[in-house]
Amino acid sequence: MVDFSKRYDVLVIGGGNAALCAAISAAREGASVLVLEAAPKFYRGGNTRHTRNMRCAHDAATDTLSGPYSEEEFFDDLLRVTGGNTNEDLARMMIHESKDMLDWIVQQGVRFQPSLGGTLSLGRTNSFFLGGGRAMLNALYLTAEDLGVAIAYEAEVIGLDVENGMFLGAKVKRPEGETYVRAGALVTASGGFEANKEWLEESWGPAAKNFLIRGTRFNRGTVLKMLGAAGVDQIGDPTQCHAVAIDARAPEYDGGIITRLDCVVFGVVVNKHCERFYDEGEDVWPKRYAIWGRLVAGQPDQIAYIIFDASSLELFMPSCFPPIKADSIRELAGKLELDADALEKTLGEFNAAVKPGTFDHTQLDDCRTQGLAIEKTHWARKIEKAPFYAYPVRPGITFTYLGVRVNHQSRMMMADGKPSANMFAAGEIMAGNVLGKGYAAGIGMTIGSVFGRIAGREAATNARN
Amino acid sequence: MHATNTLAEADRLMTLCNSCRYCEGLCAVFPAMEMRREFLDGDLNYLANLCHSCGACYHDCQFSPPHEFNMNVPKVMAQVRAESYAAYAWPSAFAPMFEKNGLKISLIAALSVAVFIAGFVAWHDPAALFGQHAGNFYRLMPHNTMVVIFGAAFLYAIIAMIMGIRNFWKNIGEPASTLTQGGSLWQAMKDASTLRYLDGGGVGCMNDSERPTDNRRRYHHFTFYGFMLCFASTSIATLYHYVLGKQAPYAWYDLPVLLGTIGGIGLIIGPIGLLMAKRERDPMLVDESRKGMDVAFLVMLLATSATGLALLVLRDTSAMGLLLSAHLGVVFALFVSMPYGKFVHGIYRFLALVRYAKEKRMIESGEAGTA
Ligand SMILES: Cc1cc2nc3c(=O)[nH]c(=O)nc-3n(C[C@H](O)[C@H](O)[C@H](O)COP(=O)(O)OP(=O)(O)OC[C@H]3O[C@@H](n4cnc5c(N)ncnc54)[C@H](O)[C@@H]3O)c2cc1C
Ligand code: HEM
Ligand code: SF4
Ligand code: SF4
């Protein structure tokens, strides 16, 4: 049983990748560590449970990586996806440290494998976890336990005692009741606020009610709010989040990776009035998937339908729910509860506008429409070969960007510009420092591991002095 | 549509896994699954017999219960596997043997021990059963009689199992020619003899918790190689008898006794270890309805080795008669029940590995139609 009366050197809030890397690194520095995880054991590890890879720089191909990925190239990729919205110093440091991460994380028991079937494009840059994110977490938890880290599940932090930027103790809600725990230093690794719909509504309005949360229900951003109230400087756009279009039949939380749909480019996407609203073939899918969450969020009732025909069915990775299938467009409209005349009209106009071309889904081809208000600029083929298929989609939120400002030691910065005496942050809660906007696959885990390791080490040193 | 609800559930799981693929590196099941986009009954039976029940994908899955997707691949695969044993049984009238298998196997064992005791008593005067025969079994049962009885039992088991193999191969839809590919057979032998896929992708199997250990593989090696040594011992003894004209009892340092002793000890340690691992196994992974079949097989193996070793140690005493009846009874029951119990797992798993060896080459050469 976890001893709550003891004063720990380091208190870690959260139970995901960033939290565990911090806890392990602090324990390896000789600190006594307590991890507080709001979720029960099965759901431990927040969104980390749903991940599959991390992006680390490396100079040469390895058993599991198909080629080198230099620090410079990584940095260029980061600049591109964030549009320069990054703290260059911190970003360069993180990318440099990411090189060593490949070894360090393996020393903590995590195992890698070559890129998964269907994700070849990431085989050079991203290291895939053998068994996925939960396997990765299981390994980290076993290592932490072996190092003597105390871990409490169903232990949600509901209050922080901070005086002039100095952490004193935390109030914890547990099934047994509320407790108070003191520690020499604090690492917050409690993720973003993507599961807090009231907070999302502040930026998105009532539309947020129809959002699905791709990951954990426990990332409610309460600690982030407490830190703001305690005078910690905030960073990142509070109104932004990473959202993709996922299967509308997904559960409200924790649908994870298998609800994603990779077939937008093969068909047309219509809203509940059977109108198209964006160029489905603007660019290759890896470069466009992240805009569709926002696009669908802008449609009435936050729902849309991807419609395609038999010729595309086997061109994309299967997802967890079967597509809705019908022998005619009218029948399909009936099953989707859409206006059949309107759907026939939209598809009729679309088909009439399709110009001849040579279809090639592996590159930007020359199949396009001409004469529509919203053109489809690549991969446009007539939707005419029965059976016809549809996937209903809704916005699915991956993560939010708002966080706390940190320095090179992962130490929180106060709003007055001074570093905090003993508070550190790692993972999604400080991702905004390097990832002001946009996303590059695998970078969430890099941020968690690199800054987690630093935060744990620094917190241990801090607590000792 | 699927023949049973279990197969329908396996289809659901494999469809979800195919959209996830996180477990791809853990074992043979997932790469084989990725080669398919639809899962027919034969495909699912093949995948189930490829699964080694290591438990890793249950602990690594973000959707295992209590998540509403309720992903429990090891358990459902165990259920499909058990159903497949019954479906392949020959003659098919004996398929119900797999229901309440534990009870039936124990009855067969008890019955055959009783028949051997009664037989000895009927043939000789009852005192012979408790007499001292200086280790000479043939005083109680002539060698030729023994050979006829056990040869017939063994032959029957072999025929029934070959028919089961045919059923399996037809059901999974693999051409017969695959069975003549030397490369695939050799690869499958290596994978089976090392239990390559019982290691959770490299760290060990996750039996009682997410903390991996290699115990089950280790104890299975004791069991498997113990069994093989005992089998070798008996075969060599038969050769001694007919080819060299050397009669039992053999001295302790003679090959049949040496192999039998070492094998017998393995066949004691192994099943006990596996029984212990079974007791500790996370109940979430266990197909309760077939636990009896597993335990019965373990106990039969243990009884075979225990009575055999006891017979060896006590062959010069008056307990020999009873021990001989017990040992022969158990071995006879083991043979005749082989096609109708857990023993067939080794056969179907081996065959599944042969097919997988071929598919793996296709995957590696890029020929496979992955979705
Ligand atoms: C479906 C999906 C797939 C993804 N795939 C990838 C991928 O392949 N690669 C990648 O790099 N990124 C991926 N991401 C993003 C990635 O999940 C996050 O960037 C990463 O998990 C952040 O790690 P973290 O440790 O900061 O937060 P999390 O892993 O979310 O952990 C936060 C923890 O804090 C706990 N917590 C929250 N509030 C409290 C509180 N008040 N008290 C106590 N504990 C609390 C939560 O329970 C949770 O355990 C994916 C995200 C999703 C949703
Ligand atoms: C052809 C090769 C074989 C393979 C690939 C193989 C594989 C396996 C695997 C993966 C298991 C664990 C999962 C399960 O319970 O079904 C198992 C269980 C078992 N095997 Fe084998 N096996 C083989 C042959 C044998 C043989 C010849 C014996 C002994 C005669 C044997 C004895 C056992 C026993 C006793 C168990 C039960 C363990 C339990 O119920 O917990 N196996 N085998
Ligand atoms: S068992 Fe779970 S984690 Fe593994 S492939 Fe299937 S759905 Fe994915
Ligand atoms: S239990 Fe083990 S062998 Fe079976 S499918 Fe899962 S990982 Fe593979």
Side-chain angles (χ1 to χ4, degrees):
Chain A
M1 264 325 290
V2 173
D3 181 1
F4 280 90
S5 62
K6 184 172 146 184
R7 184 179 187 276
Y8 290 87
D9 293 334
V10 177
L11 177 71
V12 178
I13 307 178
N17 170 45
L20 269 287
C21 286
I24 288 171
S25 130
R28 289 207 186 279
E29 294 291 323
S32 64
V33 184
L34 171 62
V35 170
L36 297 177
E37 161 61 295
K41 185 173 176 195
F42 172 76
Y43 281 108
R44 70 184 181 188
N47 287 348
T48 302
R49 296 173 81 251
H50 291 287
T51 65
R52 54 185 184 186
N53 60 42
M54 70 195 282
R55 182 181 289 254
C56 294
H58 48 276
D59 291 328
T62 68
D63 289 352
T64 54
L65 289 157
S66 61
Y69 186 50
S70 70
E71 290 184 43
E72 215 37 55
E73 190 183 352
F74 192 160
F75 186 71
D76 289 345
D77 286 341
L78 184 65
L79 274 189
R80 192 170 38 79
V81 299
T82 58
N85 197 340
T86 181
N87 174 333
E88 185 170 336
D89 274 358
L90 269 187
R92 284 196 186 275
M93 188 228 21
M94 176 190 87
I95 289 172
H96 180 68
E97 293 284 317
S98 79
K99 268 186 165 168
D100 193 35
M101 214 12 104
L102 284 178
D103 289 332
W104 189 79
I105 207 86
V106 168
Q107 282 155 20
Q108 314 318 318
V110 175
R111 295 171 300 147
F112 289 125
Q113 67 158 89
S115 73
L116 296 174
T119 61
L120 266 185
S121 57
L122 294 171
R124 181 172 64 88
T125 53
N126 288 36
S127 297
F128 283 72
F129 306 124
L130 183 67
R134 192 166 167 229
M136 186 254 189
L137 273 170
N138 288 344
L140 293 183
Y141 272 93
L142 290 176
T143 303
E145 282 167 16
D146 291 345
L147 289 169
V149 171
I151 298 164
Y153 300 108
E154 298 182 82
E156 182 192 355
V157 171
I158 53 167
L160 288 180
D161 233 349
V162 180
E163 240 171 53
N164 296 327
M166 167 110 166
F167 168 76
L168 302 172
K171 206 200 277 182
V172 189
K173 194 169 119 203
R174 297 192 305 137
E176 298 88 349
E178 280 178 22
T179 20
Y180 186 82
V181 58
R182 292 174 315 124
L186 173 72
V187 178
T188 58
S190 49
F193 66 91
E194 55 275 354
N196 190 333
K197 289 207 176 171
E198 299 80 58
W199 195 344
L200 292 172
E201 270 184 61
E202 289 175 19
S203 319
W204 293 81
K209 284 205 176 62
N210 284 326
F211 290 1
L212 300 169
I213 316 302
R214 301 179 68 202
T216 181
R217 68 177 72 231
F218 294 96
N219 284 3
R220 304 186 41 80
T222 45
V223 176
L224 187 56
K225 273 233 158 88
M226 293 170 213
L227 292 172
V232 177
D233 196 14
Q234 301 212 315
I235 192 168
D237 187 340
T239 68
Q240 294 301 305
C241 63
H242 182 275
V244 301
I246 62 170
D247 199 306
R249 296 163 288 182
E252 190 176 3
Y253 298 99
D254 276 308
I257 194 83
I258 65 180
T259 61
R260 71 160 175 340
L261 290 166
D262 297 337
C263 55
V264 166
V265 294
F266 298 113
V268 297
V269 184
V270 300
N271 61 20
K272 68 178 252 197
H273 303 309
C274 302
E275 298 152 344
R276 288 176 60 238
F277 51 90
Y278 199 81
D279 176 1
E280 299 88 353
E282 191 175 46
D283 205 341
V284 292
W285 187 237
K287 291 199 180 147
R288 280 295 167 274
Y289 77 98
I291 67 169
W292 280 90
R294 175 170 306 273
L295 289 171
V296 176
Q299 298 307 308
D301 291 347
Q302 293 70 52
I303 184 118
Y305 305 88
I306 308 172
I307 295 176
F308 56 96
D309 70 5
S311 49
S312 304
L313 184 66
E314 304 219 331
L315 295 179
F316 53 92
M317 275 269 289
S319 65
C320 67
F321 300 103
I324 292 160
K325 180 176 170 184
D327 288 325
S328 70
I329 293 294
R330 287 203 85 75
E331 189 193 337
L332 191 64
K335 287 188 173 173
L336 299 174
E337 295 177 21
L338 295 176
D339 179 343
D341 293 335
L343 190 62
E344 273 190 336
K345 179 162 171 286
T346 300
L347 285 175
E349 287 168 4
F350 176 82
N351 285 347
V354 169
K355 297 281 127 199
T358 317
F359 179 79
D360 181 355
H361 69 283
T362 61
Q363 58 176 39
L364 292 173
D365 69 3
D366 62 351
C367 293
R368 49 174 296 131
T369 60
Q370 203 178 331
L372 294 176
I374 298 169
E375 304 283 12
K376 181 174 178 185
T377 51
H378 301 96
W379 310 294
R381 291 194 293 177
K382 288 187 176 146
I383 297 174
E384 56 185 5
K385 188 171 167 222
F388 300 95
Y389 298 97
Y391 285 109
V393 291
R394 284 199 186 281
I397 304 233
T398 323
F399 58 83
T400 49
Y401 288 94
L402 181 69
V404 293
R405 188 185 298 279
V406 299
N407 69 10
H408 280 67
Q409 295 178 317
S410 247
R411 191 185 289 271
M412 289 185 217
M413 301 299 292
M414 308 305 290
D416 61 12
K418 292 205 196 87
S420 156
N422 62 350
M423 298 197 293
F424 302 81
E428 194 183 324
I429 196 170
M430 48 65 64
N433 288 270
V434 284
L435 195 70
K437 69 171 215 219
Y439 188 64
I443 208 167
M445 297 301 277
T446 314
I447 295 172
S449 295
V450 169
F451 287 99
R453 181 186 179 191
I454 296 174
R457 185 176 65 214
E458 296 298 326
T461 314
N462 210 103
R464 216 179 295 130
N465 302 334
Chain B
M1 281 304 96
H2 295 288
T4 67
N5 291 339
T6 319
L7 285 163
E9 171 66 357
D11 184 1
R12 183 185 75 88
L13 297 190
M14 287 297 102
T15 303
L16 255 67
C17 289
N18 205 13
S19 63
C20 168
R21 305 187 171 186
Y22 283 14
C23 292
E24 184 184 274
L26 294 178
C27 68
V29 173
F30 297 93
M33 169 275 289
E34 285 177 24
M35 294 179 69
R36 299 162 166 81
R37 212 170 160 123
E38 273 183 329
F39 302 99
L40 307 177
D41 285 357
D43 297 321
L44 295 164
N45 287 329
Y46 159 59
L47 295 173
N49 282 289
L50 258 190
C51 167
H52 281 35
S53 236
C54 77
C57 62
Y58 171 78
H59 288 288
D60 291 352
C61 181
Q62 59 275 32
F63 308 119
S64 37
H67 192 286
E68 61 200 280
F69 288 156
N70 196 23
M71 298 295 292
N72 193 336
V73 177
K75 178 170 177 169
V76 174
M77 287 307 186
Q79 289 166 335
V80 172
R81 216 163 35 237
E83 282 184 9
S84 79
Y85 298 164
Y88 301 139
W90 182 90
S92 56
F94 282 3
M97 265 299 291
F98 284 93
E99 305 285 331
K100 298 212 171 68
N101 184 268
L103 179 67
K104 288 175 187 163
I105 302 275
S106 343
L107 285 178
I108 292 176
L111 193 70
S112 59
V113 172
V115 167
F116 274 94
I117 297 181
F120 291 163
V121 171
W123 262 311
H124 310 279
D125 93 73
L129 192 59
F130 300 101
Q132 290 195 5
H133 306 281
N136 191 346
F137 314 130
Y138 306 138
R139 292 253 181 88
L140 282 171
M141 186 181 228
H143 184 260
N144 285 343
T145 316
M146 229 186 243
V147 167
V148 166
I149 291 178
F150 283 88
F154 189 60
L155 196 66
Y156 174 77
I158 295 281
I159 291 172
M161 288 191 291
I162 288 177
M163 298 307 281
I165 292 175
R166 281 188 49 166
N167 291 339
F168 174 75
W169 212 245
K170 249 199 264 160
N171 177 246
I172 67 171
E174 185 66 20
S177 59
T178 308
L179 283 174
T180 57
Q181 289 178 354
S184 301
L185 287 169
W186 176 236
Q187 185 61 48
M189 275 187 229
K190 285 192 286 186
D191 294 345
S193 59
T194 55
L195 289 182
R196 172 162 174 194
Y197 298 112
L198 193 60
D199 71 350
V203 280
C205 96
M206 297 177 198
N207 187 44
D208 52 329
S209 74
E210 74 274 12
R211 192 177 278 278
T213 75
D214 220 7
N215 277 347
R216 280 174 78 226
R217 181 155 67 171
R218 199 168 301 137
Y219 289 126
H220 192 284
H221 283 339
F222 274 110
T223 311
F224 177 86
Y225 291 103
F227 180 84
M228 290 305 181
L229 286 176
C230 293
F231 193 70
S233 150
T234 316
S235 311
I236 290 174
T238 310
L239 288 180
Y240 269 22
H241 189 93
Y242 287 111
V243 182
L244 301 182
K246 252 174 103 172
Q247 300 260 338
Y250 304 112
W252 68 266
Y253 49 79
D254 223 340
L255 214 45
V257 180
L258 272 184
L259 294 178
T261 310
I262 301 172
I265 291 172
L267 208 46
I268 294 236
I269 299 175
I272 290 181
L274 287 172
L275 276 171
M276 276 171 14
K278 182 167 280 315
R279 213 183 51 198
E280 287 158 11
R281 191 163 175 82
D282 184 339
M284 283 305 291
L285 303 178
V286 179
D287 171 14
E288 285 297 336
S289 65
R290 306 296 163 146
K291 215 167 162 179
M293 170 178 83
D294 292 4
V295 173
F297 184 49
L298 281 164
V299 171
M300 285 300 289
L301 291 173
L302 196 55
T304 306
S305 52
T307 53
L309 286 178
L311 188 57
L312 178 69
V313 176
L314 302 177
R315 64 185 178 186
D316 293 333
T317 71
S318 58
M320 192 272 256
L322 269 184
L323 281 172
L324 183 66
S325 340
H327 186 59
L328 295 182
V330 169
V331 173
F332 182 81
L334 184 71
F335 277 173
V336 296
S337 68
M338 246 179 201
Y340 311 109
K342 172 87 177 190
F343 183 83
V344 298
H345 81 280
I347 296 175
Y348 298 133
R349 277 207 168 92
F350 176 76
L351 293 170
L353 286 168
V354 175
R355 182 193 213 187
Y356 180 66
K358 174 189 140 187
E359 292 189 341
K360 189 158 186 264
R361 279 199 311 275
M362 290 166 66
I363 296 170
E364 279 159 6
S365 67
E367 277 172 54
T370 48

